[in-house]
Amino acid sequence: MSSYEASGYWYGDDQSAPEAVDLLNLMRRYRDAERTMRANTRGSMGMNETDMTALRFLLGAHRKGEVPRQRDFAEKLGISNASVSALIDRLCRDGYAQRVMHPADRRSVGIIPTQYSDTEVRGTLQQMHERMMSAVDGLDAEERKAAAKFLHALIASVEWNDVDLGHAAQRDHELRDVPGSNLASS
């Protein structure tokens, strides 16, 4: 048992670093906490997971100055055109989005967020985002580099599958260019 696990604190009295399994257990706890927070957020906004993902996509596109079409939602969410139509209907009905003439193609319909959606999402998530930023701001530059290295490697490990075996050399090459990656060239 590691000193971290035994002490119940991030670092034990001897200031030893957590073991690998301790980090993975902390990631699992974070995922569970985030999943619970997302479920609570969806519940407070009266949305299902797909609706919330669509709203995040819509707000992200809006921040980039883009006006997505229904087909963009279908592609992003991996759902049928009929399902997207029902989803957009719900977002519009609940005041989160509206259909407009697409600025690049007047024959096409674009989807834009309403002021209500931006206000609602910010109001619901602002305190949580501030707490998350505070946690990151508490790290010094070296700790942020170590955290980034760990997260990049963890992301790569879960994105990996048997299909990727043919792309292993390419992925390793790409990871060499990621700051903090354990494959980064010295």
Side-chain angles (χ1 to χ4, degrees), residues 31-100:
R31 274 194 334 260
D32 291 344
E34 183 183 39
R35 190 176 303 119
T36 299
M37 177 275 303
R38 288 187 186 281
N40 291 340
T41 300
R42 287 191 310 269
S44 74
M45 295 177 72
M47 296 181 141
N48 65 38
E49 186 170 347
T50 303
D51 292 356
M52 185 61 90
T53 302
L55 184 57
R56 280 196 310 269
F57 170 67
L58 178 61
L59 292 170
H62 183 70
R63 277 191 302 275
K64 295 176 192 172
E66 300 169 359
V67 178
R69 296 174 177 98
Q70 284 192 189
R71 68 177 179 229
D72 299 320
F73 285 87
E75 183 179 304
K76 174 69 176 172
L77 302 172
I79 59 178
S80 72
N81 289 332
S83 294
V84 167
S85 185
L87 179 144
I88 300 300
D89 287 345
R90 282 193 306 276
L91 292 178
C92 290
R93 179 197 67 218
D94 295 342
Y96 293 107
Q98 67 182 61
R99 290 180 171 95
V100 297

Side-chain angles (χ1 to χ4, degrees), residues 117-128:
S117 65
D118 189 53
T119 303
E120 179 75 7
V121 170
R122 285 182 194 276
T124 303
L125 300 177
Q126 183 174 358
Q127 288 181 345
M128 187 260 316

